[in-house]
Amino acid sequence: MKTVTSWQDRIPEHNGGKFAVHDIAFRPDGTQLIAAVGVRVLVYAAADSSAGDPIHSLKGHKDTVYCVAYSKDGKRFASGGADKMVIIWTPKAEGILKYQHSDSIQALAYNPVTQQLASVTASDFGLWSPEQKSVSKHKVTSKVLTCAWTNDGQHLALGHFSGTISIRTKNGDEKLSMKRNAPVWTLTWNPSREEAFDILAVGCWDQTLSFYHLSSKQIGRDRHLGFDPCCVSYFSNGEYLLMGGSDKKISLWTKEGVRLSTIAEVDDWVWSVKQRPKLNFIAMGTNDGLIAMYQLVFSTVHGLYQDQYAYRDYMTDVVIQQLVTDKRLKIRCKDYVKKIAIYRDRLAVQLPDKVMVYELCYDDAYEMKHKLKERISRKLDCNLLVVTSMHIVLCLDRKLILYNFAGVWQREWILESGIRYIKVVGGPVECEALLVGLRNGTVAKIFIDNTFPIHLVKLESPVRCLDLSASRNKLAVVDENQNCVVYRLDTKEQLFQETNANSIAWNSEYEDMLCFSGNSLLNIKTGNFPVHQQKLQGFVVGFKGSKIFCLHFVAMHTIDVPQSASLYRYLEKKDFTNAYQIACLGVTENDWRMLAMQALSDLNFVIARKAFIRIRDVRYIEFLDQIALDRKCTGGDDRVYLAEILAYQGKYEEAAELFVKIGHEKKAIEMYADLKMWSKAKEICPNDENLKDLIRRQARWAEETGAQRDAAALWLAAGDHIKAITLMGDNGWLTRLIEVCRSLNKSEVAAIQLCGKYFRKHNVHAYGKEAYEKIGDMKSLMQLHVEMQKWDEAFRLLNSAEGLTNVADVFLPYAEWLALNDKFDEAQEAYKKAQRPKEALRMVEQLAYNGVLERRYDSAAYYFWKLAVENLRLTVEGGLPQAEHATRLAKFKEYRHKAELYYAYNFVHKYNEVPFCSTDSLHLFHMTRWLLMEIGPLCPYGISKLNIILALAKLAKELDAYKLARQAYERLQKYVIPLHLIDQLDIAAVQIRSKPFTDKEELLPMCYRCSFTNPLLGDKDCCTQCLHPFVRSYASFNHLPLVHFVLAPGLGHDEAMAILNSNTRVGRKKEADWKEHQADGVQTLTFTGDDPHDMMSGIEDAGMNLDDPFTRQLMSLDFHGSSDKQYHPVVVDADTLRQMKRDEIFIVKWSKSGTAFTSPTSKIDHAKESRLSPDLQVTYYRNVVPDLPVVLCSSCNHFFHEDDFEYEYLKAGGCPFCGVKTS
């Protein structure tokens, strides 16, 4: 660092006394300097050529002026002094305001944000701002010597004579305080906004400098100064401190408090020192009246070795910068750095009283690290400093002194002239060579292990800069006349000379390339080629590869220099070796490609391969590897290689001509095929076979590129019909496909079958039929009909070609199609024809259970009946194992019973759920009674006993069956009732108790066998006296006048049917059932039933003929005297049968159930009948009340009232239960 005096002014003495300069301040823009001198305020110009000229001498004060301060906006400044007055001035030296304190003014400070002025005295301090009409004053306990605002203007620091530091808010309230041991004469806040917190620098008259946080916490320890500080201020935006005081010096310190150097020495105490804003100028005022301005010139302290650059930062730090990667490492020396030297992994730093030697290294992530290797604790003075692996070299004018890292003197050299330039140029450890340039123009080489210098060359003017080439064979020197001279050291021959050079550097990675700078130009010299020039600011200090390191003022820059020009020159000379070396220094990818292509064209495969590797062109690398292998194995033909190179370079026609010329037509065809230039390839084809192969290849390419139509046409042209058909079929080109199919010969079965397959896939029945008929493939044709659901044609083909296919192959998909279209009955028949009874059963089971789940109980009943019939059919037809036979019979009974239950429950469900129900209430009443008697303890899934009892209770109440209704309501108490019905049922249960506990007599069922009147609800659906099962009409569910009987032993079914069919008996004439006679004037009417004889006559007249043996047998049965509680049917012999009418007899035959009506005269199949259980064999019933006609459905074997059956038949088109149409 160097100090230059810019200007100074000494205040003249007056009456033998000197005027002290107590304070100075700069205007924020740096154009004015104000000074407190005597009783005046002096204003100086501080900028341009008029710097130092007095502008104003202000006389506003009556006594000594102690302090001045400028506002941050530059619109006013203030002065204060011993006259206790504060005067506010404008920049034009006009006083605009003054206010007074009770004591002399010690210091002034403007708030940097609010322009608030703080003035301090011995007894108080005041705060004034332009917005205030009065000054806000605050008392203090001790004299205030100095004050300063924080950067944000929120706090004011006061330094007291008592040693107290008081931190006040901007309103004047004390926030906290710190205590020192001596008067606090000066303090200031760090102006840097990059600091994490506010830092206060404090100078005390116990000769210490200390630092504090705003929180009053001290930073580090006190720094001992050795003098009393009178002023302290920050310099260079808070990076340094300026200090002056009783030592009569201005000194520069780091912001941490480390003394760096002395800026100036004067004859008396320094009262004030300030930096000119944003510039490296400082002003000071002394006790003897001197005002001076100094310029600080900071010299560059640095060192360079190849791409490692070390430089001084903030005077106390050393930064090592990797110029190529721009990685940096900072070393904090905490002392003034005077010199820096770097060599390989060694860094030497000269401090005022020692030399530090560091070792540099890199970690796994290639990050720079350092560690202290040696410390030479000696004060060594030198002009230049260099470091080697184990030594340092100090330069003092003509003398070079060598020390080891322990600080021990090794040797010294005294040269013939002063040293201008010195550089370590490498060598073994402890034997390194130094290149030295002297003031007399001599260039010498010194080995540090040799006492004698080696003379190299001598110039006519002093040496300014020099460098040695990478091989140490060439020396480049720049002299004071800016001449650049290059020598060959082994012959001392001058190789090259240029002018206008101020620095020079050899390329450390290429022997024949150097650069030099001068006149704002960068010159690059390669081999014997002319110099290449470009603009440059600064001067070069290093050259590595394609990067030039340039120092401009104090900053090091890295410049990327393209080597394209040198590369092109070597390529023109076909010097591929040097061209490759130049390219390795750094060229663009296009330059690498040019080098590779030219080397390849010149058949220099080694350089070409290296160049292609650098640009990662895998295609050319593989090509060159193939050539290398071919040359190794066969020797190869350079003409073939040249043709292949032409092809790789895009010169296809030239390559093809050369291939044909040397007899390699296949290579030409292969090339054009790879390029998809099919027409050119076909022109070269020598025969048809090669042409077809080429067409196939073109077809494959067309497929890959998505040109499917072209590919299909090409496959046809090549004769590959299968592939062409596959493409057409996959893309759905059916018109074109049928054309191809029709054009094919019948012998090409596989191709025609493939056509048919695609027609089936696209659902084109006519084309598929045509294809299969062409080759007579009836099996595939059948599959086509089935897949297209052309069932009529499939059945015709099946009938016409017996044995062609399995019946199941047609009927099974037909059944599935029927099921999907909700034709379940037809589907069941189709399953049967397909001999898949289990599938039929499984379908019907699923339909039945779906009906239950969906509450379609009528459908559920229908499909359960279908299941019952199917199981019965399997049983009757025989062929089943004994265990399965019994299982099927059991399933028949189970499904039949479920069908009946769901059939009846359907009406009850509708009654409960549908608002309006068309079913007669009496019929519903009978249904609910029958359901409760038939269900038993376990309900089938989907049937709710609660709903049945609820319906029964309502219907019984409606039909005056109050007793049954009360019983129903009592039963409901056992069930969980839905919440919305609880109140309704409670009311109904109470209301029913007001009714008589009887049932309407007309509702009570009478047994037609024993004439016993039964209760409405029993345990079973049979007579409680004779146990004769009630036979119900499955329309109204009222019981019918049918009596079950069995044939007498020895009387067979066929004989019984013969008797019945031949019976022609006619009944007696019916007589009147009352008599009238007159006697003694009295007319008397007598009924025939009034006496026992007449009663029997009445029974006969009611329709029961007492002359009929069957009737007499019914009347003669005594049920009260019998202890046997089993049911005994009526036994009928041949004589009794002869007295019966055929139309009164009903015969139930389960072996023929499930079909339409069969004649009752038809004979039974005894084999089938024997396979049934006894309760399912032929059963006989007689209608004992012929006036009530009854109908029996021969399909489901259920009875109906004739009127009900006819009504439901007409409505539904079949039996109300099974839906079968009967006669």
Side-chain angles (χ1 to χ4, degrees):
M1 184 185 69
K2 183 172 68 173
T3 303
V4 178
T5 303
S6 179
W7 60 268
Q8 62 182 14
D9 183 27
R10 185 174 293 277
I11 307 302
E13 297 181 4
H14 182 67
N15 297 329
K18 296 181 180 180
F19 290 103
V21 182
H22 291 104
D23 197 9
I24 59 175
F26 277 99
R27 188 175 180 177
D29 60 2
T31 59
Q32 287 183 3
L33 174 68
I34 57 175
V37 181
V39 297
R40 298 193 180 193
V41 177
L42 301 182
V43 181
Y44 290 90
D48 303 328
S49 58
S50 60
D53 295 343
I55 300 175
H56 302 289
S57 177
L58 307 180
K59 304 178 181 179
H61 290 277
K62 298 177 181 179
D63 204 341
T64 304
V65 181
Y66 289 143
C67 50
V68 290
Y70 233 116
S71 65
K72 195 70 175 179
D73 59 3
K75 294 181 179 180
R76 60 185 65 86
F77 64 88
S79 60
D83 60 353
K84 307 176 186 178
M85 296 296 296
V86 176
I87 302 177
I88 310 299
W89 309 84
T90 67
K92 296 181 180 180
E94 298 173 351
I96 58 174
L97 179 72
K98 65 171 61 175
Y99 64 87
Q100 190 171 9
H101 280 270
S102 57
D103 288 295
S104 58
I105 311 302
Q106 299 297 318
L108 295 171
Y110 266 105
N111 189 310
V113 178
T114 64
Q115 313 307 324
Q116 188 178 29
L117 177 64
S119 53
V120 299
T121 69
S123 58
D124 61 3
F125 70 94
L127 298 173
W128 173 86
S129 64
E131 297 80 12
Q132 295 178 211
K133 293 183 179 180
S134 60
V135 180
S136 174
K137 296 182 179 179
H138 304 268
K139 292 293 184 180
V140 294
T141 58
S142 175
K143 182 178 182 178
V144 183
L145 300 177
T146 182
C147 62
W149 289 96
T150 56
N151 293 329
D152 58 5
Q154 298 296 315
H155 298 90
L156 175 68
L158 304 179
H160 293 261
F161 185 81
S162 62
T164 302
I165 303 171
S166 176
I167 306 298
R168 305 275 178 154
T169 65
K170 63 180 180 180
N171 298 323
D173 302 326
E174 186 173 51
K175 180 178 179 181
L176 48 89
S177 62
M178 295 85 80
K179 183 66 177 175
R180 301 292 302 169
N181 298 323
V184 178
W185 193 268
T186 180
L187 52 77
T188 185
W189 294 96
N190 191 325
S192 174
R193 297 188 180 274
E194 296 179 0
E195 298 290 343
F197 35 76
D198 292 314
I199 298 176
L200 180 66
V202 180
C204 298
W205 274 17
D206 56 356
Q207 299 189 350
T208 59
L209 174 66
S210 56
F211 298 91
Y212 290 90
H213 289 161
L214 182 59
S215 61
S216 77
K217 181 180 179 181
Q218 185 172 356
I219 303 172
R221 295 179 296 178
D222 293 344
R223 281 73 168 171
H224 185 69
L225 303 176
F227 63 92
D228 292 327
C230 296
C231 55
V232 60
S233 64
Y234 277 96
F235 175 74
S236 186
N237 194 30
E239 294 297 334
Y240 304 100
L241 278 171
L242 298 171
M243 197 173 300
S246 61
D247 62 343
K248 304 178 183 180
K249 296 178 182 178
I250 304 172
S251 53
L252 184 67
W253 300 67
T254 67
K255 62 181 179 180
E256 290 85 11
V258 177
R259 183 184 177 95
L260 296 177
S261 64
T262 299
I263 297 174
E265 295 188 19
V266 293
D267 299 331
D268 210 337
W269 287 26
V270 179
W271 287 117
S272 181
V273 59
K274 298 289 175 62
Q275 178 193 5
R276 184 180 173 189
K278 301 179 182 180
L279 294 174
N280 289 344
F281 288 84
I282 63 171
M284 71 158 186
T286 64
N287 191 54
D288 60 356
L290 176 64
I291 301 174
M293 180 86 76
Y294 300 100
Q295 181 183 8
L296 302 185
V297 180
F298 291 93
S299 58
T300 303
V301 177
H302 62 150
L304 177 71
Y305 177 75
Q306 293 186 356
D307 59 348
Q308 294 186 115
Y309 177 59
Y311 62 92
R312 182 176 68 183
D313 189 32
Y314 296 131
M315 309 296 286
T316 60
D317 299 337
V318 176
V319 177
I320 301 98
Q321 179 182 357
Q322 179 62 254
L323 295 175
V324 176
T325 62
D326 201 36
K327 292 182 178 180
R328 299 169 188 261
L329 171 67
K330 177 175 281 192
I331 301 176
R332 299 187 181 277
C333 300
K334 298 181 181 180
D335 206 345
Y336 179 51
V337 176
K338 298 176 69 175
K339 296 286 189 298
I340 296 175
I342 186 171
Y343 174 72
R344 292 182 181 172
D345 60 345
R346 297 288 188 264
L347 174 69
V349 180
Q350 183 185 17
L351 303 178
D353 55 353
K354 56 182 174 288
V355 177
M356 311 293 286
V357 180
Y358 297 93
E359 182 178 1
L360 305 178
C361 59
Y362 294 88
D363 60 10
D364 295 337
Y366 207 68
E367 295 290 338
M368 284 191 293
K369 304 289 182 182
H370 76 283
K371 63 179 180 180
L372 181 63
K373 183 172 180 62
E374 296 290 345
R375 178 187 287 109
I376 302 175
S377 300
R378 292 181 58 181
K379 184 176 181 180
L380 301 172
D381 293 328
C382 64
N383 299 329
L384 298 172
L385 172 69
V386 293
V387 62
T388 65
S389 299
M390 303 299 294
H391 300 85
I392 61 171
V393 180
L394 304 180
C395 173
L396 286 170
D397 195 22
R398 297 170 51 202
K399 183 186 296 184
L400 289 177
I401 305 173
L402 182 71
Y403 293 92
N404 62 16
F405 287 164
V408 177
W409 180 92
Q410 299 288 300
R411 64 176 52 83
E412 67 180 36
W413 298 267
I414 299 177
L415 303 178
E416 58 193 69
S417 178
I419 299 171
R420 292 290 304 275
Y421 193 89
I422 183 171
K423 183 176 183 179
V424 182
V425 293
V429 176
E430 299 189 3
C431 300
E432 289 88 353
L434 304 176
L435 201 61
V436 182
L438 304 182
R439 190 173 287 109
N440 64 357
T442 301
V443 177
K445 180 188 289 187
I446 299 175
F447 292 95
I448 61 174
D449 60 340
N450 192 330
T451 307
F452 301 100
I454 301 173
H455 181 273
L456 297 179
V457 296
K458 188 174 188 321
L459 280 69
E460 296 179 357
S461 57
V463 175
R464 183 172 183 176
C465 180
L466 54 83
D467 195 14
L468 202 62
S469 67
S471 63
R472 297 180 177 81
N473 291 325
K474 298 177 182 178
L475 174 68
V477 185
V478 175
D479 61 16
E480 272 307 317
N481 298 326
Q482 297 188 344
N483 294 319
C484 172
V485 187
V486 178
Y487 295 94
R488 186 178 184 87
L489 291 180
D490 54 353
T491 61
K492 302 297 188 292
E493 176 188 0
Q494 180 178 325
L495 302 177
F496 168 76
Q497 183 172 354
E498 277 287 343
T499 58
N500 298 322
N502 55 22
S503 64
I504 193 169
W506 285 98
N507 195 321
S508 60
E509 295 182 358
Y510 185 68
E511 173 72 14
D512 288 335
M513 183 178 291
L514 62 84
C515 67
F516 56 92
S517 60
N519 288 345
S520 300
L521 290 175
L522 172 65
N523 303 271
I524 302 175
K525 172 74 174 175
T526 304
N528 296 323
F529 299 120
V531 174
H532 171 74
Q533 292 184 335
Q534 67 183 60
K535 292 183 178 181
L536 174 73
Q537 290 183 338
F539 56 92
V540 295
V541 294
F543 192 8
K544 181 177 182 180
S546 62
K547 297 184 182 298
I548 292 178
F549 310 128
C550 167
L551 185 65
H552 181 54
F553 293 110
V554 296
M556 181 70 74
H557 300 286
T558 301
I559 301 173
D560 287 317
V561 179
Q563 302 290 348
S564 302
S566 301
L567 174 67
Y568 298 156
R569 289 167 178 169
Y570 279 118
L571 288 179
E572 289 174 1
K573 296 176 63 178
K574 294 189 179 296
D575 187 351
F576 296 109
T577 302
N578 279 314
Y580 176 75
Q581 293 180 6
I582 291 293
C584 289
L585 299 180
V587 294
T588 64
E589 184 174 340
N590 289 334
D591 293 337
W592 274 110
R593 187 169 297 278
M594 179 183 294
L595 169 62
M597 288 298 183
Q598 291 199 20
L600 187 62
S601 299
D602 203 55
L603 300 181
N604 191 333
F605 299 130
V606 176
I607 298 297
R609 188 176 187 277
K610 290 180 180 180
F612 282 125
I613 289 174
R614 291 298 291 263
I615 60 177
R616 300 181 181 179
D617 193 330
V618 178
R619 188 169 65 96
Y620 273 104
I621 294 171
E622 291 177 350
F623 172 58
L624 289 169
D625 289 343
Q626 182 181 352
I627 290 177
L629 181 63
D630 188 55
R631 295 184 77 177
K632 183 177 180 181
C633 296
T634 63
D637 186 348
D638 286 347
R639 295 178 301 169
V640 175
Y641 299 147
L642 184 59
E644 290 178 348
I645 291 169
L646 290 173
Y648 266 81
Q649 291 177 342
K651 303 173 182 178
Y652 304 120
E653 293 185 359
E654 297 178 21
E657 291 178 1
L658 186 56
F659 275 130
V660 173
K661 183 178 180 180
I662 61 179
H664 287 77
E665 292 87 355
K666 289 186 177 180
K667 286 184 175 290
I669 295 172
E670 186 73 19
M671 177 190 71
Y672 279 129
D674 290 340
L675 295 169
K676 317 308 177 194
M677 301 170 69
W678 307 107
S679 57
K680 291 185 176 294
K682 290 174 184 177
E683 293 174 0
I684 304 175
C685 284
N687 52 54
D688 291 342
E689 188 59 34
N690 289 340
L691 182 60
K692 281 191 174 183
D693 290 340
L694 184 62
I695 293 174
R696 292 189 187 98
R697 186 168 179 178
Q698 184 180 1
R700 284 191 290 270
W701 171 78
E703 279 190 69
E704 293 171 358
T705 57
Q708 306 290 343
R709 290 187 181 274
D710 295 340
L714 289 168
W715 284 122
L716 285 176
D720 289 341
H721 297 139
I722 297 293
K723 292 184 178 179
I725 291 169
T726 301
L727 276 177
M728 294 176 185
D730 289 341
N731 290 279
W733 303 328
L734 302 181
T735 304
R736 180 61 179 144
L737 185 60
I738 189 62
E739 293 175 359
V740 173
C741 181
R742 289 168 180 166
S743 66
L744 292 175
N745 194 297
K746 290 184 179 181
S747 60
E748 297 189 54
V749 176
I752 297 174
Q753 283 182 334
L754 185 59
C755 290
K757 175 184 173 183
Y758 280 110
F759 292 140
R760 287 162 59 184
K761 178 180 177 181
H762 293 284
N763 298 322
V764 185
H765 180 262
Y767 290 168
K769 181 179 178 181
E770 181 181 346
Y772 289 131
E773 287 179 347
K774 183 175 182 177
I775 58 176
D777 189 353
M778 295 298 109
K779 187 173 182 180
S780 298
L781 182 59
M782 177 67 75
Q783 292 175 355
L784 174 67
H785 291 327
V786 172
E787 289 178 6
M788 301 298 174
Q789 298 175 0
K790 303 291 184 179
W791 304 113
D792 294 338
E793 296 190 25
F795 293 144
R796 281 198 298 270
L797 184 61
L798 181 65
N799 294 331
S800 64
E802 295 183 0
L804 176 67
T805 184
N806 190 355
V807 175
D809 293 341
V810 179
F811 279 101
L812 189 59
Y814 179 56
E816 293 172 352
W817 177 80
L818 289 171
L820 288 174
N821 288 275
D822 296 340
K823 299 179 180 181
F824 303 111
D825 294 339
E826 294 91 333
Q828 187 179 8
E829 294 301 323
Y831 276 124
K832 292 177 183 178
K833 292 181 180 179
Q835 299 177 356
R836 296 290 193 276
K838 291 185 179 179
E839 281 79 356
L841 285 176
R842 189 179 301 112
M843 179 192 71
V844 179
E845 282 178 0
Q846 189 62 49
L847 290 170
Y849 287 119
N850 287 346
V852 175
L853 289 173
E854 298 169 7
R855 296 186 176 185
R856 295 183 290 104
Y857 298 108
D858 51 349
S859 299
Y862 175 77
Y863 290 115
F864 273 120
W865 169 247
K866 285 286 187 181
L867 284 173
V869 170
E870 189 64 25
N871 279 279
L872 181 63
R873 184 184 64 79
L874 294 174
T875 304
V876 171
E877 289 178 355
L880 298 176
Q882 185 64 30
E884 188 176 352
H885 177 83
T887 302
R888 293 293 179 188
L889 278 177
K891 283 183 176 289
F892 163 71
K893 295 176 183 179
E894 177 190 351
Y895 291 146
R896 177 185 173 225
H897 188 238
K898 284 186 176 181
E900 293 171 346
L901 291 177
Y902 285 119
Y903 174 77
Y905 185 73
N906 176 55
F907 296 98
V908 178
H909 174 72
K910 288 182 178 178
Y911 172 73
N912 286 329
E913 299 292 334
V914 179
F916 302 100
C917 182
S918 61
T919 308
D920 186 79
S921 298
L922 184 58
H923 295 177
L924 289 169
F925 177 69
H926 293 319
M927 290 176 187
T928 55
R929 290 174 46 241
W930 178 81
L931 282 170
L932 287 177
M933 291 185 288
E934 285 293 325
I935 284 177
L938 296 177
C939 274
Y941 183 80
I943 294 179
S944 169
K945 267 191 179 182
L946 175 63
N947 288 340
I948 297 171
I949 298 172
L950 280 171
L952 178 61
K954 294 178 184 178
L955 293 166
K957 182 179 178 182
E958 180 183 345
L959 298 173
D960 298 339
Y962 301 123
K963 181 179 178 181
L964 180 60
R966 186 182 294 187
Q967 291 173 353
Y969 282 121
E970 289 175 355
R971 272 198 181 190
L972 288 174
Q973 303 302 318
K974 301 177 182 178
Y975 295 90
V976 178
I977 308 299
L979 292 176
H980 67 282
L981 295 177
I982 291 177
D983 294 340
Q984 179 183 346
L985 292 179
D986 288 345
I987 294 172
V990 173
Q991 288 176 345
I992 201 63
R993 291 183 179 275
S994 66
K995 304 295 182 180
F997 191 60
T998 58
D999 292 327
K1000 193 175 183 180
E1001 189 173 352
E1002 288 84 351
L1003 297 176
L1004 297 176
M1006 185 189 73
C1007 177
Y1008 285 99
R1009 184 185 182 211
C1010 65
S1011 301
F1012 180 75
T1013 302
N1014 287 268
L1016 288 173
L1017 200 60
D1019 294 334
K1020 295 183 178 179
D1021 191 27
C1022 63
C1023 177
T1024 57
Q1025 179 170 278
C1026 66
L1027 303 181
H1028 181 275
F1030 291 136
V1031 181
R1032 297 190 176 272
S1033 167
Y1034 274 81
S1036 65
F1037 275 80
N1038 192 9
H1039 71 286
L1040 300 172
L1042 296 176
V1043 177
H1044 172 234
F1045 67 90
V1046 297
L1047 299 178
L1051 182 62
H1053 174 75
D1054 295 337
E1055 183 182 354
M1057 292 303 300
I1059 293 171
L1060 288 173
N1061 293 332
S1062 64
N1063 191 354
T1064 57
R1065 183 182 67 84
V1066 180
R1068 294 186 305 166
K1069 179 182 178 182
K1070 184 177 179 182
E1071 299 178 356
D1073 55 356
W1074 55 273
K1075 295 179 180 179
E1076 180 182 0
H1077 64 273
Q1078 294 181 357
D1080 299 330
V1082 177
Q1083 187 177 10
T1084 305
L1085 180 66
T1086 304
F1087 291 96
T1088 57
D1090 290 345
D1091 54 49
H1093 182 270
D1094 290 338
M1095 185 174 292
M1096 296 302 294
S1097 175
I1099 293 175
E1100 182 180 358
D1101 293 339
M1104 298 178 66
N1105 188 1
L1106 295 179
D1107 293 335
D1108 182 11
F1110 187 82
T1111 305
R1112 289 199 301 272
Q1113 186 178 355
L1114 292 180
M1115 299 302 297
S1116 65
L1117 295 174
D1118 182 12
F1119 300 102
H1120 297 286
S1122 174
S1123 61
D1124 187 5
K1125 290 299 183 181
Q1126 294 183 356
Y1127 167 64
H1128 297 284
V1130 178
V1131 179
V1132 175
D1133 55 13
D1135 293 335
T1136 305
L1137 282 176
R1138 291 188 183 96
Q1139 299 297 321
M1140 297 182 184
K1141 291 182 179 180
R1142 178 63 187 88
D1143 56 0
E1144 297 175 358
I1145 305 302
F1146 294 93
I1147 303 172
V1148 177
K1149 293 182 286 188
W1150 285 108
S1151 60
K1152 293 183 178 293
S1153 66
T1155 61
F1157 174 77
T1158 55
S1159 172
T1161 61
S1162 61
K1163 296 183 179 182
I1164 65 171
D1165 188 338
H1166 294 284
K1168 291 183 178 180
E1169 196 74 17
S1170 64
R1171 298 187 185 107
L1172 300 175
S1173 60
D1175 58 332
L1176 296 179
Q1177 294 178 1
V1178 179
T1179 309
Y1180 304 90
Y1181 293 93
R1182 183 182 181 185
N1183 185 357
V1184 297
V1185 184
D1187 292 339
L1188 293 175
V1190 176
V1191 175
L1192 171 65
C1193 176
S1194 61
S1195 176
C1196 61
N1197 285 332
H1198 286 99
F1199 291 93
F1200 301 89
H1201 284 296
E1202 188 177 60
D1203 294 340
D1204 294 340
F1205 183 80
E1206 290 176 355
Y1207 173 75
E1208 295 295 338
Y1209 188 92
L1210 292 173
K1211 186 170 69 172
C1215 171
F1217 183 86
C1218 65
V1220 176
K1221 294 182 180 181
T1222 60
S1223 301

